[in-house]
Amino acid sequence: FFFSSRRRHTRAGTVTGVQTCALPIYEHQTKIQQLSKANEELDNFISSADIAKIFLDSDLRIRRFTSSAAQRTGLLPHDNGRVITDFSHPLLVKAAKVGREIIQGAGEIETSSPWETGETIPLRARPYIRKDSARAGAIVTFIPIRNT
């Protein structure tokens, strides 16, 4: 069976007046499964690092964040898509500031941010670069310092 834009299916691959996609439905399903698996692996890799990362788009909207970032800042899953400047948490205020600088053309930024315990947390921000080398936002990382 082939998928067509009019939702008609045929074994031959064409219906009079309707063009069909080049890939059979099972190949689309296979591609979707592969992408889902890759996304799952990436999520596990990022969360296992226990590093707080916030991904911002070029409008300073939160695209994604790690569970470590959520724990440190109080971000919730429904905060994806919100503008980071809407938040008042000190780490998010700092992330908004450096994120804006990155989006406006700065290279990598390394600084620190105050933490509720009175300590400071190192912060690194760098551009989010697409495959075509265009800037599409910023990645802000808070690097926890562990006392052992």
Side-chain angles (χ1 to χ4, degrees):
F1 289 102
F2 289 85
F3 175 80
S4 70
S5 59
R6 286 197 177 166
R7 295 185 185 203
R8 288 187 180 170
H9 303 277
T10 178
R11 289 187 191 275
T14 59
V15 175
T16 306
V18 177
Q19 288 188 337
T20 59
C21 293
L23 295 176
I25 289 175
Y26 71 88
E27 288 186 33
H28 285 289
Q29 291 169 338
T30 301
K31 291 289 183 191
I32 291 169
Q33 289 171 346
Q34 289 172 343
L35 288 172
S36 294
K37 183 178 179 186
N39 192 45
E40 184 178 293
E41 289 173 353
L42 181 61
D43 284 342
N44 279 304
F45 173 75
I46 290 172
S47 66
S48 70
D50 193 31
I51 295 175
K53 285 190 175 283
I54 301 172
F55 298 81
L56 303 172
D57 70 11
S58 57
D59 295 323
L60 291 176
R61 293 190 180 280
I62 298 170
R63 296 182 56 164
R64 185 178 203 158
F65 53 88
T66 63
S67 58
S68 183
Q71 291 170 355
R72 287 176 175 77
T73 63
L75 287 171
L76 299 171
H78 66 265
D79 291 328
N80 279 318
R82 290 185 61 190
V83 179
I84 197 167
T85 56
D86 289 349
F87 297 92
S88 61
H89 190 285
L91 292 177
L92 296 177
V93 170
K94 188 69 169 194
K97 180 179 184 268
V98 297
R100 182 177 289 115
E101 291 176 36
I102 293 292
I103 290 165
Q104 292 174 345
E108 185 172 316
I109 296 173
E110 291 194 24
T111 185
S112 60
S113 182
W115 182 239
E116 55 198 31
T117 61
E119 301 172 272
T120 58
I121 294 181
L123 177 147
R124 179 180 299 135
R126 56 180 50 172
Y128 179 97
I129 306 291
R130 296 188 321 222
K131 281 191 172 189
D132 64 359
S133 299
R135 284 182 185 229
I139 304 169
V140 181
T141 305
F142 297 99
I143 305 160
I145 298 175
R146 299 194 196 282
N147 296 327
T148 55

